[in-house]
Amino acid sequence: DGTCWAIVQNALLQLRQGAQRFEVDDAIPARHFSDVVVETNGVFWVATSDGLFRYAPFCWRSPADIPQLNSYIHAMAEDREDRLWVASLNGLNLLHNEHWTNYPFPADIATNVSDIRVVFALTNGTVAMEAGNRLLQFDPVTGNFHFAKSPNATDVRLLGLLKDGALCVELAGGGDNKAEPSKLAVFNGADFSPLPFAQPELGAGNEPQALCASQNGGFWLSTRKGITRYRDKKWQTFTPSIQSAAGNIACIAEIAEGKLWCGIEDKIWEFDGNTWTLLWAGFEHVNAMIKAQDGSVWVASDNGLHRFFHGTWTVNGTEEGLPTVAVREVFQDHRGNFWAATASGLCEYHPESDPDPPRTYVQNLAERNNTVREGSIVNISFNAVDKWKYTPEDRLLYSYRLDGQDWSPYQEQRNVSFLDLPAGKHTFYVRSMDRNWNVDPKPARLEFAVALPWYLETRLLLISAAGLGGALFFAGLAFNRHRRLVRSYAEVEAKVALRTKQLELANQELFHSQKMNALGTLAAGIAHDFNNILSIIKGSAQIIETNLDDQDKIRTRTERIKTVVEQGAGIVKAMLGFSRTSDNQLALCDINSIVSETIKLLGDRFLREVEVQFTPANPLPEVPASKDFIQQILLNFIFNAAEAMTGKRRQIILSAAQSDRLPPTLALKPAAAPSYVMVSVKDFGTGIAPEIMPRIFEPFFTTKAFSTRRGTGLGLSMVYELARQMDAGLGVESMQGQGSVFTLILPVRDLPMDSEEKSDKLK
């Protein structure tokens, strides 16, 4: 709008169009201004010490800073050259090609134009105004104002334009007979001429007020007593049957063919040719009314600018940018732009300043689960927020509907009540609209239910009766079965005890069987190791026998015999410890030594076929566990790893470590402890498919051929049971084609009291 804004460190400045200096804008009470960002349409943001502020121009704005347009505006009109004429206290103003020109009234006639009522643009290019019951004419070519002289009349009242563009006027007060009634005449911009048809019946108390050309070629004429219509070369008068509808009809507008809206004092009445209907009341005084191009109706009144659109009345006031609520006239130009003539200046409507609709919210009912009893009053509250607060929250309008019914008219009320709703589910929708007629495209929704009292629900009574009969039947059946269960309870308890004892024995035998199977697997490799030891002893003995005089050779061979004998004794000791049946009580164990002894059990033959590496971790705390259980678990892991590797790289890596965190994937979770000792067995075999991973610890589940030599599927299930008995955990990680890692997780904690006592006794 030609305004220049600026910020300095401690102030916001404004330079209006045509002004010579900046003025301080005190709308923001901030002590420091730091930054600004500019959007389109005159919107900008200011960062201040008091927060972020957004400036946006009003939807109704005065056209730049033109002093003559900031005063009282009488009326306006548009000619055939799309020039807008506005009559103000300071003269006649012209808007053409976005440029304003002011034509001040001459001093000799300025005193007679204090109350210009209407302005009309004539077909000859001149502008006619009614000033003090006289016709004031302006010629844009010469720029001169003059009063048109009418023959035989002292008063001239401008009524409106006919279809051909001629101005219809009322001539009164002329001739010798002062009581002669006024007459209608036509003014073409140069001369007055009588109407080309018969005069209507006018007289004292029935003076004409306004004229409106109709769509069918005739026109409507409002008088103090009613409405007169000229059609088909005849006049027809309609007097309101309702006394309150009669009076001073200030303005009229044809809404549809044969349907007329009349502004009478503080009300709008509708006349359809037969019936008068009151449409709306509450105006302080209706000044002007037009039908817009989009079909809406605009009404200028002393308490704001009202618009009727889609069945709803909405009012604009100072909150939307009007300088005052007293609006003299409303006008729509050829471009579709709206103008409002007010007592404090001219305003143009800019709907693009506020394109964003508000957002609507609905609150849940106070009742639980949004369910109310039948006959209760359903109170629903809702609200909305305009995005940039162009429309304050208390000025937003709301429309609602229930269960697919028609939408209600928009109103400011933010709650609604429903009484005597039928039982069942109901859906409530509400949408909001701001004062710029932006409607929320997504109405808020609330679903609630109305429930019948239980004693009125027929289905509930039938279900209750059926349920009672079923309950009695099943109660008798249950009592009979209870007697049978009491008799058989002792038998079942005895059988359970017997089966439990048998299961414990079978479990011990299965563990021992698995242990002996592993021992048998180890025997073949160990026999080869003992053959090597015996061969060394035999060879050394022969050398000693043939070299009895050579003390050095005898000493060397003797030392070798002692070494291999100790090696054999160690193997025998490990085998005896592994094969011996024990009570498997928990004791504090050194994991590094247990893993080393387990590897010795494998023998040289196994170790030549498979490379076994062990990476101990020092120091490791002792953990409460069973040495036999750990060796059995590790041997199962090692044998499975050896069978899983078919390529050239047959390598098994054992490692021990301590950690205070558990692996992400666990097959069995260990007991809670501050830290854990973990023993991992890693191979580079075929890996485990993801679809069978959850089943590897199931009893009798195996992917090998079902035979005694290839396995029964009990190895890993026994591993799971042994680990569970020690409160240990198991972890498995595998990737097809790359290998698997099985991990035994032992919690680091104190030895239980009974285990400690038994351990002391054994020591």
Side-chain angles (χ1 to χ4, degrees):
D1 60 357
T3 302
C4 178
W5 294 85
I7 58 170
V8 293
Q9 185 175 6
N10 59 354
L12 176 66
L13 306 178
Q14 183 180 18
L15 178 65
R16 299 183 183 274
Q17 187 178 24
Q20 299 298 320
R21 58 179 296 176
F22 279 98
E23 296 179 358
V24 176
D25 188 293
D26 56 0
I28 303 178
R31 297 180 299 275
H32 180 76
F33 293 78
S34 57
D35 199 6
V36 64
V37 173
V38 180
E39 294 186 21
T40 58
N41 299 328
V43 177
F44 63 85
W45 298 76
V46 179
T48 75
S49 58
D50 287 356
L52 188 64
F53 290 84
R54 180 179 187 269
Y55 171 82
F58 285 112
C59 293
W60 287 97
R61 302 199 293 268
S62 298
D65 280 339
I66 303 176
Q68 56 269 20
L69 295 178
N70 293 331
S71 61
Y72 189 94
I73 304 298
H74 296 284
M76 63 185 73
E78 189 176 40
D79 60 20
R80 295 185 177 183
E81 297 181 8
D82 299 332
R83 296 180 298 182
L84 183 66
W85 297 93
V86 180
S88 66
L89 285 177
N90 300 316
L92 189 63
N93 304 276
L94 168 64
L95 174 61
H96 187 56
N97 295 330
E98 305 298 331
H99 178 71
W100 283 96
T101 304
N102 176 251
Y103 298 97
F105 296 120
D108 57 337
I109 64 174
T111 56
N112 297 317
V113 296
S114 59
D115 188 19
I116 296 177
R117 194 175 65 87
V118 290
V119 175
F120 296 102
L122 305 180
T123 56
N124 66 346
T126 62
V127 179
M129 295 163 280
E130 180 184 325
N133 290 334
R134 300 177 66 186
L135 194 155
L136 178 63
Q137 192 172 5
F138 173 73
D139 188 352
V141 177
T142 63
N144 294 328
F145 291 89
H146 66 276
F147 287 106
K149 295 182 179 180
S150 57
N152 301 324
T154 57
D155 295 336
V156 179
R157 186 175 181 85
L158 281 58
L159 301 178
L161 295 176
L162 302 177
K163 277 291 187 179
D164 59 0
L167 179 61
C168 181
V169 300
E170 176 196 10
L171 302 178
D176 297 334
N177 187 2
K178 300 297 182 181
E180 183 179 354
S182 59
K183 296 183 179 180
L184 301 183
V186 175
F187 181 68
N188 59 11
D191 301 312
F192 290 91
S193 59
L195 286 177
F197 38 79
Q199 289 282 338
E201 294 182 0
L202 302 176
N206 194 34
E207 295 82 0
Q209 302 295 315
L211 180 141
C212 174
S214 63
Q215 301 177 10
N216 57 13
F219 60 87
W220 298 84
L221 182 67
S222 67
T223 66
R224 292 188 181 275
K225 293 184 178 181
I227 292 291
T228 300
R229 178 175 64 184
Y230 179 79
R231 188 175 67 177
D232 299 332
K233 298 182 180 181
K234 62 180 181 180
W235 292 94
Q236 187 177 7
T237 301
F238 303 93
T239 302
S241 57
I242 304 175
Q243 184 64 29
S244 59
N248 186 11
I249 301 179
C251 54
I252 55 177
E254 189 176 42
I255 306 304
E257 185 174 356
K259 180 182 292 186
L260 205 65
W261 282 19
C262 304
I264 305 175
E265 296 179 352
D266 59 349
K267 301 178 181 63
I268 296 290
W269 290 82
E270 181 183 85
F271 177 64
D272 60 2
N274 296 307
T275 306
W276 291 83
T277 304
L278 178 62
L279 290 180
W280 192 256
F283 305 99
E284 289 190 4
H285 187 273
V286 178
N287 298 320
M289 179 168 48
I290 64 168
K291 179 185 177 183
Q293 297 173 6
D294 60 0
S296 62
V297 179
W298 295 72
V299 178
S301 71
D302 287 346
N303 63 339
L305 183 60
H306 301 256
R307 185 192 187 197
F308 180 81
F309 194 50
H310 294 318
T312 299
W313 283 98
T314 309
V315 60
N316 281 180
T318 56
E319 295 85 350
E320 287 70 44
L322 291 174
T324 178
V325 295
V327 183
R328 293 283 300 168
E329 186 174 355
V330 59
F331 184 79
Q332 185 178 24
D333 60 23
H334 69 283
R335 298 176 300 175
N337 296 340
F338 289 94
W339 300 83
T342 74
S344 299
L346 181 68
C347 283
E348 184 180 6
Y349 182 48
H350 295 269
E352 71 280 359
S353 296
D354 180 17
D356 300 304
R359 181 172 294 178
T360 315
Y361 305 92
V362 61
Q363 301 178 9
N364 288 327
L365 301 181
E367 289 78 4
R368 185 178 180 182
N369 298 327
N370 289 336
T371 301
V372 298
R373 294 185 178 275
E374 187 184 33
S376 301
I377 299 176
V378 181
N379 296 310
I380 302 177
S381 299
F382 40 84
N383 66 324
V385 177
D386 201 13
K387 183 174 183 180
W388 299 117
K389 298 183 180 178
Y390 279 95
T391 302
E393 186 174 347
D394 58 349
R395 285 178 59 80
L396 291 171
L397 304 174
Y398 302 91
S399 175
Y400 62 86
R401 69 175 181 179
L402 182 67
D403 298 334
Q405 300 176 2
D406 294 336
W407 289 96
S408 68
Y410 284 95
Q411 55 187 358
E412 294 183 0
Q413 185 177 353
R414 288 184 286 181
N415 54 74
V416 64
S417 298
F418 298 98
L419 181 63
D420 294 332
L421 290 177
K425 292 185 177 180
H426 299 273
T427 305
F428 176 81
Y429 293 92
V430 59
R431 60 187 180 185
S432 58
M433 181 178 70
D434 59 23
R435 295 295 172 140
N436 197 32
W437 296 280
N438 295 312
V439 178
D440 187 352
K442 297 180 179 179
R445 177 181 176 181
L446 173 67
E447 292 185 349
F448 64 94
V450 177
L452 281 172
W454 67 271
Y455 52 84
L456 295 179
E457 181 62 59
T458 305
R459 292 177 297 176
L460 180 60
L461 296 177
L462 294 176
I463 293 173
S464 300
L468 180 60
L472 293 175
F473 170 77
F474 286 109
L477 183 63
F479 179 74
N480 183 39
R481 291 192 175 185
H482 174 71
R483 290 193 305 167
R484 295 171 57 187
L485 287 174
V486 169
R487 289 195 298 266
S488 62
Y489 180 77
E491 298 177 4
V492 172
E493 189 175 32
K495 290 182 179 180
V496 169
L498 178 62
R499 294 293 184 265
T500 302
K501 186 175 181 179
Q502 292 175 349
L503 183 60
E504 290 177 352
L505 294 175
N507 190 32
Q508 293 178 2
E509 293 175 358
L510 177 62
F511 170 68
H512 186 69
S513 174
Q514 288 288 318
K515 191 173 182 180
M516 298 309 295
N517 286 339
L519 188 62
T521 304
L522 297 174
I526 293 174
H528 183 269
D529 293 340
F530 271 98
N531 285 333
N532 291 338
I533 293 172
L534 294 175
S535 297
I536 293 173
I537 295 173
K538 182 179 180 180
S540 298
Q542 290 176 351
I543 293 173
I544 292 172
E545 186 179 4
T546 57
N547 296 278
L548 295 175
D549 298 330
D550 191 344
Q551 296 297 323
D552 293 334
K553 285 188 177 182
I554 292 174
R555 188 180 299 107
T556 301
R557 295 303 174 180
T558 303
E559 293 295 332
R560 180 172 295 181
I561 290 173
K562 290 180 179 181
T563 301
V564 298
V565 168
E566 291 178 357
Q567 181 180 357
I571 295 175
V572 170
K573 182 179 179 181
M575 292 290 293
L576 290 175
F578 179 68
S579 62
R580 185 181 295 113
T581 301
S582 64
D583 56 0
N584 296 320
Q585 292 294 326
L586 301 183
L588 294 177
C589 300
D590 181 6
I591 297 302
N592 285 331
S593 63
I594 293 177
V595 176
S596 299
E597 292 181 11
T598 304
I599 295 176
K600 291 180 182 180
L601 294 174
L602 299 174
D604 290 345
R605 181 178 179 182
F606 184 90
L607 296 177
R608 281 196 302 270
E609 295 178 356
V610 180
E611 180 184 352
V612 179
Q613 297 181 4
F614 173 49
T615 305
N618 292 316
L620 281 179
E622 292 184 337
V623 295
S626 171
K627 178 181 177 181
D628 291 347
F629 285 4
I630 295 176
Q631 287 185 326
Q632 181 68 36
I633 291 172
L634 293 180
L635 287 175
N636 269 284
F637 286 167
I638 293 171
F639 292 156
N640 286 344
E643 293 179 359
M645 295 185 293
T646 58
K648 294 181 179 181
R649 186 182 181 186
R650 303 190 67 190
Q651 183 182 20
I652 300 175
I653 299 176
L654 284 79
S655 60
Q658 183 180 3
S659 175
D660 57 355
R661 294 184 179 180
L662 294 173
T665 56
L666 291 175
L668 175 63
K669 187 176 181 181
S675 63
Y676 304 89
V677 171
M678 303 183 185
V679 183
S680 299
V681 179
K682 180 179 181 181
D683 65 69
F684 299 91
T686 57
I688 304 173
E691 60 270 14
I692 68 172
M693 177 68 77
R695 302 189 60 192
I696 61 176
F697 291 100
E698 292 182 8
F700 303 105
F701 177 78
T702 179
T703 57
K704 308 171 187 177
F706 196 83
S707 66
T708 304
R709 184 178 63 85
R710 296 298 292 171
T712 62
L714 292 172
L716 288 181
S717 65
M718 180 58 68
V719 166
Y720 189 92
E721 179 62 23
L722 296 178
R724 186 187 64 80
Q725 293 183 21
M726 295 189 296
D727 289 335
L730 296 173
V732 183
E733 297 180 8
S734 181
M735 185 173 294
Q736 284 189 285
Q738 297 186 16
S740 306
V741 179
F742 284 78
T743 304
L744 173 64
I745 306 169
L746 299 165
V748 179
R749 55 181 180 171
D750 295 334
L751 192 67
M753 184 61 66
D754 56 348
S755 297
E756 289 182 357
E757 293 175 354
K758 292 182 179 180
S759 178
D760 293 340
K761 291 179 180 179
L762 291 175
K763 291 180 180 179

